[in-house]
Amino acid sequence: MKEQAAHLFAHFPDIFATLGILLGGLMLGLVLKYVIFRVLGAVAKREDSTLARSVERHLSSASALFLPVLTVSLLLPLVPLPPKGFEVLRRIVEFTLILTFAWGLIRTLDVLQDLVQRRYQLNSDNNLRVRKLFTQLQFIKKLAMSLIAFVAVGLVLMSFETVRRLGTGLLTSAGIASVIVGFAAQRSISNLLAGFQIAFTQPIRIDDVLVVEGEWGRVEEITFTYVVLSIWDERRLVLPLNYFIEKPFQNWTRTSARLTGAVYLQTDYSVPVEAVRTELRRILAAHPLWDQRVAVLHVTDAKERTLELRALVSAADAGSVWELRCAVREQLITFLQREYPGSLPQARVQLTAGGGLPT
């Protein structure tokens, strides 16, 4: 017992020196992080730099861990510990450095995404090319994040001798294992392949307007396994990727955001069609949402009691054509009520001379 106590007291200077080096390395890393991001903040304010703002926002937390661990790893040769203690400390620092570096790489992907979004605006009028790019970049970003995390965890685990031996043994049964995993993860692999197909053939894109399962909405997110559709009433419809490969759906913005919409009116046979056609042109000419492409009125059906009028109107996108259709419908009805009230649907009854209904 006395010998152990004496041995421990003999190593007190080494322990204190190790703690001093570790704390000094951590403090040096934090100071370095503070200086770097202080400069970035000043650059972002002075030059309105998207890159500086994005790095400051996304990499600040990761750098607060990575830089101190990096400085500790650089100072590690100065640590006066015995070989076993030094090896344990080296392993801990190595694991932490790998994980924090991987976190920094993942956050760097957010910086790259900010730069792309700054360069290409999704809310522009003609954004077909941008939506193609964003759809591919979103899928590639998620794939890159998964690969970075997988490699980082693999590097940490493979640094253990036991795990390396286990991995070598598992390689001999990789064929059987791959078949078993293939059957077990058949749906997941199918979704992953569907994700690749959607990202590069692009039957749908980010911000596309779709009609799916009777619901109208915009593509909000595309992940490895599912698509999130933002419905017009703020609900979210979540569908597997395979749905868009295997089943039919409507894509209103596949080649262009421009759309043509129809407005139907039921009127009496006495309606002055030409007057309604002229009023339609006047309404559209005064409306800011009309894109001046389509403005026609046809009699599309003659029913037992009514005529069916169909007005075709066009606008720049789905939301605009919806608002334009509602406005045209309302103003045409108001026009008929004001100018030709007898042209609205009505029932006629013919009385005979004797006062009764005809037989």
Side-chain angles (χ1 to χ4, degrees), residues 248-264:
F249 60 93
Q250 296 183 40
N251 188 337
W252 289 9
T253 53
R254 180 69 179 88
T255 57
S256 173
R258 298 185 305 178
L259 285 175
T260 299
V263 176
Y264 291 93

Side-chain angles (χ1 to χ4, degrees), residues 75-92:
L75 297 176
L76 205 57
L78 303 178
V79 172
L81 286 179
K84 290 186 178 180
F86 181 82
E87 182 63 20
V88 171
L89 180 60
R90 187 190 65 79
R91 288 287 181 88
I92 294 174

Side-chain angles (χ1 to χ4, degrees), residues 173-191 193:
S173 58
I176 300 175
S178 63
V179 174
I180 296 174
V181 172
F183 278 112
Q186 185 176 6
R187 296 290 296 178
S188 299
I189 295 174
S190 176
N191 269 319
L193 295 177

Side-chain angles (χ1 to χ4, degrees), residues 26-266:
L26 293 175
M27 293 300 297
L28 180 60
L30 289 175
V31 170
L32 184 61
K33 181 263 179 186
Y34 174 80
V35 172
I36 291 174
F37 282 86
R38 188 75 173 177
V39 172
L40 283 174
V43 171
K45 291 179 181 179
R46 185 176 66 252
E47 300 182 4
D48 192 24
S49 171
T50 303
L51 177 60
R53 285 199 307 271
S54 182
V55 170
E56 184 181 18
R57 182 169 67 253
H58 294 299
L59 292 179
S60 179
S61 299
S63 299
L65 291 177
F66 173 71
L67 290 177
V69 176
L70 178 62
T71 53
V72 167
S73 68
L74 294 176
L75 297 176
L76 205 57
L78 303 178
V79 172
L81 286 179
K84 290 186 178 180
F86 181 82
E87 182 63 20
V88 171
L89 180 60
R90 187 190 65 79
R91 288 287 181 88
I92 294 174
V93 173
E94 181 182 327
F95 302 158
T96 309
L97 187 64
I98 291 174
L99 295 178
T100 55
F101 181 68
W103 184 24
L105 286 179
I106 291 174
R107 300 300 290 172
T108 302
L109 296 176
D110 294 326
V111 175
L112 296 176
Q113 181 177 351
D114 284 351
L115 295 178
V116 174
Q117 290 177 345
R118 173 76 176 187
R119 176 67 176 83
Y120 302 97
Q121 296 296 324
L122 190 61
N123 56 2
S124 58
D125 293 335
N126 189 10
N127 63 355
L128 178 61
R129 180 167 171 263
V130 178
R131 289 188 285 111
K132 287 182 179 180
L133 177 64
F134 277 24
T135 301
Q136 293 175 344
L137 285 181
Q138 187 180 78
F139 186 83
I140 292 172
K141 176 189 172 185
K142 293 180 183 299
L143 181 62
M145 291 172 61
S146 300
L147 289 176
I148 291 171
F150 178 79
V151 171
V153 174
L155 289 175
V156 170
L157 293 178
M158 291 303 292
S159 63
F160 292 98
E161 184 65 27
T162 305
V163 175
R164 281 204 302 269
R165 288 199 299 267
L166 179 62
T168 304
L170 288 176
L171 286 176
T172 59
S173 58
I176 300 175
S178 63
V179 174
I180 296 174
V181 172
F183 278 112
Q186 185 176 6
R187 296 290 296 178
S188 299
I189 295 174
S190 176
N191 269 319
L192 181 61
L193 295 177
F196 276 107
Q197 186 173 349
I198 286 175
F200 293 98
T201 63
Q202 297 194 341
I204 60 172
R205 308 179 190 89
I206 296 297
D207 206 44
D208 264 351
V209 176
L210 308 182
V211 177
V212 183
E213 299 290 325
E215 300 284 3
W216 182 97
R218 291 184 180 272
V219 177
E220 183 177 66
E221 184 181 3
I222 301 176
T223 71
F224 281 147
T225 55
Y226 60 87
V227 174
V228 179
L229 202 65
S230 177
I231 308 302
W232 64 272
D233 57 1
E234 299 185 2
R235 289 177 294 135
R236 297 296 185 273
L237 180 63
V238 181
L239 296 165
L241 286 176
N242 282 335
Y243 181 96
F244 298 94
I245 303 299
E246 300 171 355
K247 296 185 179 181
F249 60 93
Q250 296 183 40
N251 188 337
W252 289 9
T253 53
R254 180 69 179 88
T255 57
S256 173
R258 298 185 305 178
L259 285 175
T260 299
V263 176
Y264 291 93
L265 294 178
Q266 302 298 324

